[in-house]
Amino acid sequence: MRDQLKGMQTRLREIAAAFLERPDALCFIGWEMTPDEKETRPFFARKPRQVKRLVWNEMCHPNPASYLPGLRGSEGMIGVAVKGCDARALRELIRANQIERKNLFVLGIPCAGLVDPNTGAIASRCSECQYPVDLDYDETLGPMETPDLTVERSAPDLDAMSLQQRRAFWKQELDKCIRCDACRKICYGCYCPECIFEMSDPKWATNRGDLADKIFYHAVRAYHLAGRCVGCDECARACPMGVRLDLLNRSLRDHAKEMFSFDGAGITDEKPLLRTFSTEDPDPFFGGDK
Amino acid sequence: MSDFEPKILVFACNWCSYAGADMAGVSRYQMPPNCRVIRVMCSARVRPEQVISALTQGLDAVLVLGCHPGDCHYTEGNYITRRRGIMLKNLLETMGFEKSRFQVNWVSAAEGARFAQVVREFVEEIKALGPSHVSTEKDTGTHA
């Protein structure tokens, strides 16, 4: 396993170096180890000699594709390494015109599951792993197919809880929140030039820090990702207070599947969930034609 | 909780529901005074943020009224509202709001009686629920 990852890392460096030799190459986005060697962080290689800092291992949690909207309009080709969840995000970004495919060099990396640094087991985000169908890669390090993983997902079942229990659960979770915006910053899908939480007129959100304000923040944040969340759980990983943000996005994904048979963002070229409708949509909660 | 008077926000679309409300008024139907009506050009103009914002700023419930499916003045606005509404309702439920605190319904311009009935039933339902947990749990100024 370790040898296989090492081999892939060598190959990744070779491909990145060859790409950066091209005269039109701007940068190659991948991962490097943090100084304490315990985690990885995103790394932008700009010169071929820098590729020795690039790594590939089971700790490569960050999503390199999430930096692409910030590079929109820049001159030159951008290389980007993507694992399965990143590839889903990449497809959504291309569809949302956040980056042009012709300016990208996409290196697909087959991932056999990431490891949660806290538990040492396969990360729970990998439990719903699904590779995009027919995505166009420039190069790959192997077949880009959904790996066969059995992962226990440690999550309280919100649907099974009573209303009171859910309230108590979210009160407890949201009390931890310090409104640092880490979840928003890390998300591939939060690329609006002016975020609703930063607007001053109208001032939608405050930083009062009471429960109502946090409910507004997290409900809106999750809703803005409805049908776009690729389920990478980066929000929960980035949260310094350990708030289970992934549960909100996950519940929206589950409902989208249940109500509209929506496959999930970035997997196929299915139309975006809230950009389309069907006259056959369920009308379960509404008065309808009584 | 019998003397509880909920504060309710109603978004009514310009082409059907607002005209329906007008019809209800002209026809002298009795309606509870708990609703504040905001006229919007289409029910799809109501942003989910506006609904969430209302619920977290102390309103007890939000009702969005639009044309019947298929009758939208803009052809498809209310279909979009419907899909959005389902997702929003599920999200609010997951976060601990009662199901009925946010509702979408359809009222046409000719249905004055229906407008009055929808509003009456909605107010009764919210009265039975009591105040929203967000407005009652709101801690003021304890945040350091």
Side-chain angles (χ1 to χ4, degrees), chain A residues 166-167 170 224 273 281 286, chain B residues 49 83 93-94 96 98 104:
Chain A
R166 273 205 297 273
R167 266 182 207 168
W170 283 114
H224 279 187
L273 178 71
D281 277 347
F286 308 95
Chain B
E49 296 90 329
R83 201 169 252 223
E93 225 186 317
T94 306
E98 287 95 345
V104 179

Side-chain angles (χ1 to χ4, degrees), chain A residues 249-284:
Chain A
N249 292 323
R250 192 188 179 202
S251 124
L252 281 169
R253 284 203 305 283
D254 289 349
H255 288 306
K257 200 173 180 74
E258 185 187 322
M259 293 289 178
F260 309 112
S261 322
F262 184 73
D263 283 343
I267 293 167
T268 60
D269 278 327
E270 190 181 5
K271 277 190 176 169
L273 178 71
L274 295 175
R275 279 265 150 267
T276 182
F277 65 88
S278 155
T279 50
E280 303 303 310
D281 277 347
D283 212 328

Side-chain angles (χ1 to χ4, degrees), chain A residues 45-99:
Chain A
R46 291 180 183 273
K47 296 274 181 306
R49 64 181 155 80
Q50 291 177 314
V51 299
K52 59 178 182 296
R53 284 166 68 180
L54 287 170
V55 296
W56 169 248
N57 54 41
E58 67 286 344
M59 289 183 286
C60 290
H61 287 268
N63 177 356
S66 62
Y67 297 93
L68 295 175
L71 293 167
R72 181 172 52 172
S74 50
E75 294 286 317
M77 295 284 285
I78 304 154
V80 60
V82 290
K83 52 189 183 295
C85 32
D86 308 340
R88 297 200 294 273
L90 181 69
R91 174 176 245 161
E92 284 293 308
L93 288 173
I94 293 170
R95 174 160 70 184
N97 287 326
Q98 289 304 309
I99 194 78

